[in-house]
Amino acid sequence: MAFTHYILVCGGTGCESSNADLIYKNLLAEAKNFGVEDKVQIVKTGCFGFCEKGPIVKVLPEDSFYVEVKPEDAKDIIAEQVVKGREVKRLLYNKEKKNLEAVEEIQFYQKQLRIVLRNCGVINPEDINEYIGRDGYLALEKALFEMKPEEIVEEIKKSGLRGRGGAGFPTGFKWEAGMKAQGDEKYVVCNADEGDPGAYMDRSTIEGDPHSILEAMTICGRAIGANKGFIYIRAEYPLAVDRLKIAMAQAREAGLLGKDILGSGFDFDIEIRLGAGAFVCGEETALLRSIEGKRGMPTPKPPFPAQCGLWGKPTVINNVETWANIPVILTKGADWFNKIGTDDSKGTKVFALTGKVNNSGLVEVPMGTTLREIIFEIGGGIKGGKKFKGVQTGGPSGGIITEENLDTPIDFGALTRLGSMMGSGGMIVMDEDDCVVDVAKFYMEFCVDESCGKCSPCRIGTRQMYSILDKISRGAGEMDDIQKLKDIGQAMKSCSLCALGQSAPNPTLSTINKFEDEYIAHIKDKRCDSGKCKKLISYVITDKCIGCGMCARQCPANCITGEKKMRHVIDQAKCLKCGACMTTCKFNAIIKK
């Protein structure tokens, strides 16, 4: 059937939480009401990436890019565009231009290169035929009938692909180790246990393109001689889990998963294992123990999983983003892939750009793109015209990068040299209103909660560092606390068993390195200029007060007193530092010190 229009509705978790499913249902209903259900195909896709402007609806062939769409807008989209052939101007991203530029020309997308996210926002992730229509499973066919296992591994090695889960280990060498390992049984594992605060790259990739993960894991199984795979994914990602289940059922029905795949004689099947949300299970050995039904705790390496992994058998484990690159590398060739990026890091990297930035969302850029390009061009700069303070890359394992290093090309080595790391791809932007002591305290509290407790450097070190940071934030810090933080942090980095403990001090150490003056201000002057550390701030009523009493009526602690039409006073001993008084005052008579 030939359609005159195709309507793509973002079906990622972010947009779903903003009524995207109701938008989709309303579009179907309105198409029926207007009698054009045979002229328009309406599908839910994966994430478009431009999360700041969601929910997003895209209409083809006009390439109309509608943002911040509401369920009630469905009627106008059908009535105006499908029936009358004209765009709904008020919903367009760029309302001023007579003709909307192509989506790729929108500033948010201009410097992006979507390889991992190539199908997100383009296909219906619940329809295997749409994936196949975009060259899906061609790489698997090539791996089964045109390449020997050694040739597959050599192609991945030649591509220069490095693991996108954080460590950046060369993927081809890991596969080679798995291929050469001796064992009557081998396993392939997908790490979808994405736990960094503010990170949602892997979840969105699965939601928008689940078949790419299944295809890649099957190719790896063929390369290393494995017949069984596991996808370890958080139970708190229900949409991603559902779409994986649908994709697996469709792949089995099409003969692309299970017994005798495509008549090749090769068997490979995949199981889903749900994680309970433990951050430490993102570490590969802890993840493998969890799949085995044991408590998720890291084990010493060597031996590495490629030699001794699941149930003591050779196991290749990669994260979602790494897997999503594999089919493209085999179809387009390693030479094509390794021309993208830098000498140190090939291909692209997906980042979850969040925080104090105008255009938050999923960003995929070639390795070597600078932080300035990501934050100020793709991200559109800092919200409210505030001053940029820093960007935290690598989540709880990374560090803060400041203005002086914004023009550094991003790759694995460059971020490490700056005292941070790539991590899985979280990128949280901070402005002048953020307090680095508060940020370090937040990440350390996270690590305290997520430490498995197996090794004392991490178990004790995270608690000690958190205790010191909390003391500084309350104005009870001492000058030697800064050195204590450095000493404990270095001990943790040297002696902790796994990457969680080894990297947990990074946010604290990097903020001390870049903003030691703020730590000193908290300790010596009992001052938090950002106003985030409540114990170090106070609200004061100035001479502008006209005695209206609004602040006193809104104060939850009843700590504001004063006669009518007379200046009021705040009892600092009772004040909760909530700021309700300052928010309520219409005369700007209350200031924060």
Side-chain angles (χ1 to χ4, degrees), residues 4-12 15 20 23-24 27 40-50 53-70 73-74 77-78 81-82 86-88 91-93 100-106 109 114 117-124 130 134:
T4 62
H5 287 85
Y6 297 84
I7 300 179
L8 307 175
V9 182
C10 177
C15 288
I23 294 170
Y24 170 73
L27 285 167
V40 57
Q41 184 179 31
I42 304 166
V43 300
K44 280 203 288 186
T45 71
C47 179
F48 283 89
F50 205 173
K53 296 297 182 181
I56 290 172
V57 173
K58 184 177 177 181
V59 183
L60 300 173
E62 294 90 347
D63 209 20
S64 304
F65 195 75
Y66 296 138
V67 298
E68 298 173 342
V69 180
K70 297 178 176 61
D73 294 325
I77 293 173
I78 297 297
Q81 188 141 14
V82 177
R86 57 194 186 197
E87 293 176 317
V88 185
L91 297 177
L92 289 172
Y93 171 69
L100 175 66
E101 68 252 40
V103 170
E104 293 76 12
E105 294 176 8
I106 293 174
Y109 294 104
R114 291 164 75 89
L117 303 177
R118 60 193 177 276
N119 291 323
C120 295
V122 177
I123 66 170
N124 177 358
E130 293 202 16
R134 297 263 300 174

Side-chain angles (χ1 to χ4, degrees), residues 185-197:
E185 199 169 9
K186 299 181 181 181
Y187 298 102
V188 176
V189 175
C190 172
N191 180 354
D193 189 66
E194 186 174 46
D196 284 12

Side-chain angles (χ1 to χ4, degrees), residues 518-592:
E518 280 196 32
Y519 280 83
I520 294 172
H522 280 66
I523 295 169
K524 280 191 171 183
D525 304 329
K526 313 300 180 188
R527 189 184 81 244
C528 176
D529 291 333
S530 301
K532 297 292 185 180
C533 300
K534 289 187 176 181
K535 294 289 184 180
L536 300 183
I537 63 173
S538 58
Y539 290 91
V540 178
I541 299 177
T542 69
D543 291 336
K544 292 182 180 180
C545 176
I546 64 168
C548 68
M550 281 296 294
C551 58
R553 288 193 288 274
Q554 292 297 321
C555 177
N558 295 317
C559 69
I560 302 178
T561 57
E563 297 293 328
K564 191 174 183 180
K565 296 186 179 181
M566 299 290 289
R567 177 181 170 183
H568 284 41
V569 177
I570 299 174
D571 185 341
Q572 297 298 330
K574 294 181 180 179
C575 181
L576 300 175
K577 323 289 188 184
C578 66
C581 56
M582 187 174 175
T583 303
T584 303
C585 183
K586 297 179 180 180
F587 304 98
N588 297 320
I590 301 177
I591 60 173
K592 182 167 60 176

